[in-house]
PDB file of all heavy atoms in Angstrom:
ATOM      1  N   PHE A1736      34.891  -2.880  -4.857  1.00  0.00           N
ATOM      2  CA  PHE A1736      34.627  -4.150  -4.163  1.00  0.00           C
ATOM      3  C   PHE A1736      34.434  -5.275  -5.173  1.00  0.00           C
ATOM      4  O   PHE A1736      34.290  -5.036  -6.371  1.00  0.00           O
ATOM      5  CB  PHE A1736      33.386  -4.040  -3.273  1.00  0.00           C
ATOM      6  CG  PHE A1736      32.260  -3.236  -3.894  1.00  0.00           C
ATOM      7  CD1 PHE A1736      31.559  -3.731  -4.979  1.00  0.00           C
ATOM      8  CD2 PHE A1736      31.916  -1.982  -3.391  1.00  0.00           C
ATOM      9  CE1 PHE A1736      30.531  -3.001  -5.556  1.00  0.00           C
ATOM     10  CE2 PHE A1736      30.879  -1.244  -3.972  1.00  0.00           C
ATOM     11  CZ  PHE A1736      30.191  -1.753  -5.052  1.00  0.00           C
ATOM     12  N   GLU A1737      34.473  -6.490  -4.649  1.00  0.00           N
ATOM     13  CA  GLU A1737      34.153  -7.678  -5.452  1.00  0.00           C
ATOM     14  C   GLU A1737      32.639  -7.728  -5.646  1.00  0.00           C
ATOM     15  O   GLU A1737      31.889  -7.531  -4.690  1.00  0.00           O
ATOM     16  CB  GLU A1737      34.528  -8.927  -4.644  1.00  0.00           C
ATOM     17  CG  GLU A1737      35.919  -9.474  -4.879  1.00  0.00           C
ATOM     18  CD  GLU A1737      36.071 -10.075  -6.262  1.00  0.00           C
ATOM     19  OE1 GLU A1737      35.303 -10.992  -6.606  1.00  0.00           O
ATOM     20  OE2 GLU A1737      36.958  -9.589  -6.999  1.00  0.00           O
ATOM     21  N   LEU A1738      32.168  -8.018  -6.833  1.00  0.00           N
ATOM     22  CA  LEU A1738      30.732  -8.194  -7.016  1.00  0.00           C
ATOM     23  C   LEU A1738      30.267  -9.485  -6.352  1.00  0.00           C
ATOM     24  O   LEU A1738      31.006 -10.468  -6.319  1.00  0.00           O
ATOM     25  CB  LEU A1738      30.405  -8.254  -8.509  1.00  0.00           C
ATOM     26  CG  LEU A1738      30.622  -6.967  -9.293  1.00  0.00           C
ATOM     27  CD1 LEU A1738      30.399  -7.213 -10.781  1.00  0.00           C
ATOM     28  CD2 LEU A1738      29.703  -5.856  -8.794  1.00  0.00           C
ATOM     29  N   THR A1739      29.057  -9.472  -5.842  1.00  0.00           N
ATOM     30  CA  THR A1739      28.507 -10.721  -5.306  1.00  0.00           C
ATOM     31  C   THR A1739      28.072 -11.591  -6.488  1.00  0.00           C
ATOM     32  O   THR A1739      27.915 -11.101  -7.611  1.00  0.00           O
ATOM     33  CB  THR A1739      27.276 -10.460  -4.423  1.00  0.00           C
ATOM     34  OG1 THR A1739      26.239  -9.889  -5.242  1.00  0.00           O
ATOM     35  CG2 THR A1739      27.591  -9.511  -3.277  1.00  0.00           C
ATOM     36  N   GLN A1742      25.018 -10.238  -8.098  1.00  0.00           N
ATOM     37  CA  GLN A1742      25.275  -9.073  -8.954  1.00  0.00           C
ATOM     38  C   GLN A1742      25.864  -9.505 -10.291  1.00  0.00           C
ATOM     39  O   GLN A1742      25.483  -9.001 -11.346  1.00  0.00           O
ATOM     40  CB  GLN A1742      26.230  -8.097  -8.249  1.00  0.00           C
ATOM     41  CG  GLN A1742      25.553  -7.263  -7.156  1.00  0.00           C
ATOM     42  CD  GLN A1742      26.561  -6.467  -6.331  1.00  0.00           C
ATOM     43  OE1 GLN A1742      27.655  -6.944  -6.029  1.00  0.00           O
ATOM     44  NE2 GLN A1742      26.189  -5.249  -5.963  1.00  0.00           N
ATOM     45  N   GLY A1765      15.885  -7.054  -5.502  1.00  0.00           N
ATOM     46  CA  GLY A1765      16.928  -7.369  -4.545  1.00  0.00           C
ATOM     47  C   GLY A1765      16.633  -6.685  -3.254  1.00  0.00           C
ATOM     48  O   GLY A1765      16.135  -5.564  -3.224  1.00  0.00           O
ATOM     49  N   ASP A1766      16.931  -7.369  -2.195  1.00  0.00           N
ATOM     50  CA  ASP A1766      16.688  -6.866  -0.870  1.00  0.00           C
ATOM     51  C   ASP A1766      17.435  -5.536  -0.683  1.00  0.00           C
ATOM     52  O   ASP A1766      18.382  -5.240  -1.405  1.00  0.00           O
ATOM     53  CB  ASP A1766      17.233  -7.904   0.117  1.00  0.00           C
ATOM     54  CG  ASP A1766      16.443  -7.896   1.397  1.00  0.00           C
ATOM     55  OD1 ASP A1766      15.730  -6.908   1.636  1.00  0.00           O
ATOM     56  OD2 ASP A1766      16.556  -8.868   2.151  1.00  0.00           O
ATOM     57  N   VAL A1767      16.992  -4.808   0.317  1.00  0.00           N
ATOM     58  CA  VAL A1767      17.666  -3.561   0.675  1.00  0.00           C
ATOM     59  C   VAL A1767      19.152  -3.848   0.890  1.00  0.00           C
ATOM     60  O   VAL A1767      19.504  -4.788   1.580  1.00  0.00           O
ATOM     61  CB  VAL A1767      17.132  -3.045   2.031  1.00  0.00           C
ATOM     62  CG1 VAL A1767      17.257  -1.553   2.103  1.00  0.00           C
ATOM     63  CG2 VAL A1767      15.740  -3.515   2.277  1.00  0.00           C
ATOM     64  N   GLY A1768      19.996  -3.052   0.250  1.00  0.00           N
ATOM     65  CA  GLY A1768      21.431  -3.202   0.473  1.00  0.00           C
ATOM     66  C   GLY A1768      22.082  -4.298  -0.348  1.00  0.00           C
ATOM     67  O   GLY A1768      23.264  -4.588  -0.183  1.00  0.00           O
ATOM     68  N   SER A1769      21.322  -4.913  -1.245  1.00  0.00           N
ATOM     69  CA  SER A1769      21.910  -6.004  -2.029  1.00  0.00           C
ATOM     70  C   SER A1769      22.784  -5.464  -3.164  1.00  0.00           C
ATOM     71  O   SER A1769      23.445  -6.233  -3.849  1.00  0.00           O
ATOM     72  CB  SER A1769      20.813  -6.915  -2.587  1.00  0.00           C
ATOM     73  OG  SER A1769      19.949  -6.182  -3.429  1.00  0.00           O
ATOM     74  N   GLY A1770      22.769  -4.170  -3.360  1.00  0.00           N
ATOM     75  CA  GLY A1770      23.664  -3.571  -4.348  1.00  0.00           C
ATOM     76  C   GLY A1770      23.089  -3.498  -5.753  1.00  0.00           C
ATOM     77  O   GLY A1770      23.756  -3.799  -6.739  1.00  0.00           O
ATOM     78  N   LYS A1771      21.856  -3.042  -5.846  1.00  0.00           N
ATOM     79  CA  LYS A1771      21.220  -2.930  -7.158  1.00  0.00           C
ATOM     80  C   LYS A1771      21.777  -1.762  -7.965  1.00  0.00           C
ATOM     81  O   LYS A1771      21.753  -1.780  -9.195  1.00  0.00           O
ATOM     82  CB  LYS A1771      19.701  -2.755  -6.989  1.00  0.00           C
ATOM     83  CG  LYS A1771      19.031  -3.973  -6.393  1.00  0.00           C
ATOM     84  CD  LYS A1771      17.532  -3.792  -6.280  1.00  0.00           C
ATOM     85  CE  LYS A1771      17.138  -2.738  -5.265  1.00  0.00           C
ATOM     86  NZ  LYS A1771      17.465  -3.087  -3.883  1.00  0.00           N
ATOM     87  N   THR A1772      22.290  -0.755  -7.256  1.00  0.00           N
ATOM     88  CA  THR A1772      22.763   0.431  -7.967  1.00  0.00           C
ATOM     89  C   THR A1772      23.870   0.079  -8.961  1.00  0.00           C
ATOM     90  O   THR A1772      23.959   0.662 -10.041  1.00  0.00           O
ATOM     91  CB  THR A1772      23.239   1.492  -6.968  1.00  0.00           C
ATOM     92  OG1 THR A1772      22.237   1.631  -5.963  1.00  0.00           O
ATOM     93  CG2 THR A1772      23.469   2.830  -7.634  1.00  0.00           C
ATOM     94  N   VAL A1773      24.696  -0.887  -8.588  1.00  0.00           N
ATOM     95  CA  VAL A1773      25.776  -1.312  -9.477  1.00  0.00           C
ATOM     96  C   VAL A1773      25.206  -1.793 -10.814  1.00  0.00           C
ATOM     97  O   VAL A1773      25.752  -1.502 -11.879  1.00  0.00           O
ATOM     98  CB  VAL A1773      26.599  -2.450  -8.815  1.00  0.00           C
ATOM     99  CG1 VAL A1773      27.547  -3.075  -9.815  1.00  0.00           C
ATOM    100  CG2 VAL A1773      27.341  -1.916  -7.608  1.00  0.00           C
ATOM    101  N   ARG A1805      25.496   9.851  -6.291  1.00  0.00           N
ATOM    102  CA  ARG A1805      26.197   8.573  -6.382  1.00  0.00           C
ATOM    103  C   ARG A1805      26.647   8.292  -7.805  1.00  0.00           C
ATOM    104  O   ARG A1805      27.758   7.814  -8.034  1.00  0.00           O
ATOM    105  CB  ARG A1805      25.285   7.432  -5.907  1.00  0.00           C
ATOM    106  CG  ARG A1805      25.107   7.428  -4.397  1.00  0.00           C
ATOM    107  CD  ARG A1805      24.114   6.379  -3.970  1.00  0.00           C
ATOM    108  NE  ARG A1805      24.670   5.019  -4.012  1.00  0.00           N
ATOM    109  CZ  ARG A1805      24.009   3.960  -3.572  1.00  0.00           C
ATOM    110  NH1 ARG A1805      22.803   4.089  -3.080  1.00  0.00           N
ATOM    111  NH2 ARG A1805      24.559   2.772  -3.645  1.00  0.00           N
ATOM    112  N   PRO A1916      26.253  -8.249  -0.002  1.00  0.00           N
ATOM    113  CA  PRO A1916      27.715  -8.145  -0.018  1.00  0.00           C
ATOM    114  C   PRO A1916      28.323  -8.717   1.263  1.00  0.00           C
ATOM    115  O   PRO A1916      27.713  -8.624   2.329  1.00  0.00           O
ATOM    116  CB  PRO A1916      27.952  -6.630  -0.084  1.00  0.00           C
ATOM    117  CG  PRO A1916      26.737  -6.074  -0.720  1.00  0.00           C
ATOM    118  CD  PRO A1916      25.610  -6.971  -0.305  1.00  0.00           C
ATOM    119  N   ALA A1917      29.497  -9.302   1.113  1.00  0.00           N
ATOM    120  CA  ALA A1917      30.156  -9.942   2.257  1.00  0.00           C
ATOM    121  C   ALA A1917      30.398  -8.922   3.367  1.00  0.00           C
ATOM    122  O   ALA A1917      30.629  -7.748   3.105  1.00  0.00           O
ATOM    123  CB  ALA A1917      31.482 -10.554   1.807  1.00  0.00           C
ATOM    124  N   ARG A1919      28.457  -7.636   5.402  1.00  0.00           N
ATOM    125  CA  ARG A1919      27.335  -6.763   5.769  1.00  0.00           C
ATOM    126  C   ARG A1919      26.784  -7.187   7.119  1.00  0.00           C
ATOM    127  O   ARG A1919      26.536  -8.354   7.367  1.00  0.00           O
ATOM    128  CB  ARG A1919      26.253  -6.860   4.690  1.00  0.00           C
ATOM    129  CG  ARG A1919      25.058  -5.968   4.869  1.00  0.00           C
ATOM    130  CD  ARG A1919      25.363  -4.487   4.806  1.00  0.00           C
ATOM    131  NE  ARG A1919      26.125  -4.068   3.634  1.00  0.00           N
ATOM    132  CZ  ARG A1919      25.573  -3.872   2.443  1.00  0.00           C
ATOM    133  NH1 ARG A1919      24.304  -4.092   2.252  1.00  0.00           N
ATOM    134  NH2 ARG A1919      26.304  -3.462   1.447  1.00  0.00           N
ATOM    135  N   ASN A2021      19.523   6.715   2.200  1.00  0.00           N
ATOM    136  CA  ASN A2021      20.836   6.173   2.553  1.00  0.00           C
ATOM    137  C   ASN A2021      21.594   7.147   3.448  1.00  0.00           C
ATOM    138  O   ASN A2021      22.261   8.036   2.963  1.00  0.00           O
ATOM    139  CB  ASN A2021      21.601   5.913   1.240  1.00  0.00           C
ATOM    140  CG  ASN A2021      22.798   4.997   1.434  1.00  0.00           C
ATOM    141  OD1 ASN A2021      22.940   4.356   2.479  1.00  0.00           O
ATOM    142  ND2 ASN A2021      23.671   4.941   0.448  1.00  0.00           N
ATOM    143  N   ARG A2050      23.684   1.016   7.697  1.00  0.00           N
ATOM    144  CA  ARG A2050      24.190   0.980   6.333  1.00  0.00           C
ATOM    145  C   ARG A2050      25.665   1.354   6.296  1.00  0.00           C
ATOM    146  O   ARG A2050      26.307   1.264   5.268  1.00  0.00           O
ATOM    147  CB  ARG A2050      23.365   1.922   5.436  1.00  0.00           C
ATOM    148  CG  ARG A2050      21.949   1.403   5.238  1.00  0.00           C
ATOM    149  CD  ARG A2050      21.089   2.363   4.465  1.00  0.00           C
ATOM    150  NE  ARG A2050      21.346   2.343   3.034  1.00  0.00           N
ATOM    151  CZ  ARG A2050      20.795   1.504   2.172  1.00  0.00           C
ATOM    152  NH1 ARG A2050      19.982   0.581   2.600  1.00  0.00           N
ATOM    153  NH2 ARG A2050      21.063   1.583   0.898  1.00  0.00           N
TER     154      ARG A2050
HETATM  155  P1  ADP B2968      20.288  -1.306  -2.882  1.00  0.00           P
HETATM  156  O1  ADP B2968      20.146  -2.641  -3.507  1.00  0.00           O
HETATM  157  O2  ADP B2968      19.558  -1.198  -1.579  1.00  0.00           O
HETATM  158  O3  ADP B2968      19.946  -0.186  -3.818  1.00  0.00           O
HETATM  159  P2  ADP B2968      22.882  -0.170  -2.993  1.00  0.00           P
HETATM  160  O4  ADP B2968      23.143  -0.347  -4.424  1.00  0.00           O
HETATM  161  O5  ADP B2968      22.512   1.177  -2.508  1.00  0.00           O
HETATM  162  O6  ADP B2968      21.806  -1.194  -2.500  1.00  0.00           O
HETATM  163  O7  ADP B2968      24.140  -0.722  -2.191  1.00  0.00           O
HETATM  164  C1  ADP B2968      24.212  -0.587  -0.792  1.00  0.00           C
HETATM  165  C2  ADP B2968      25.650  -0.354  -0.376  1.00  0.00           C
HETATM  166  O8  ADP B2968      26.441  -1.517  -0.604  1.00  0.00           O
HETATM  167  C3  ADP B2968      26.301   0.767  -1.144  1.00  0.00           C
HETATM  168  O9  ADP B2968      27.038   1.545  -0.229  1.00  0.00           O
HETATM  169  C4  ADP B2968      27.205   0.034  -2.134  1.00  0.00           C
HETATM  170  O10 ADP B2968      28.342   0.795  -2.454  1.00  0.00           O
HETATM  171  C5  ADP B2968      27.583  -1.213  -1.390  1.00  0.00           C
HETATM  172  N1  ADP B2968      27.869  -2.377  -2.241  1.00  0.00           N
HETATM  173  C6  ADP B2968      27.195  -2.728  -3.357  1.00  0.00           C
HETATM  174  N2  ADP B2968      27.691  -3.879  -3.871  1.00  0.00           N
HETATM  175  C7  ADP B2968      28.685  -4.271  -3.044  1.00  0.00           C
HETATM  176  C8  ADP B2968      29.578  -5.381  -3.025  1.00  0.00           C
HETATM  177  N3  ADP B2968      29.533  -6.321  -3.968  1.00  0.00           N
HETATM  178  N4  ADP B2968      30.465  -5.457  -2.013  1.00  0.00           N
HETATM  179  C9  ADP B2968      30.499  -4.510  -1.066  1.00  0.00           C
HETATM  180  N5  ADP B2968      29.694  -3.432  -1.019  1.00  0.00           N
HETATM  181  C10 ADP B2968      28.785  -3.318  -1.988  1.00  0.00           C
END
Side-chain angles (χ1 to χ4, degrees):
F1736 39 70
E1737 267 291 303
L1738 293 174
T1739 64
Q1742 283 171 322
D1766 210 343
V1767 208
S1769 60
K1771 294 182 292 294
T1772 312
V1773 169
R1805 287 175 76 174
R1919 183 64 51 80
N2021 196 13
R2050 291 175 78 85

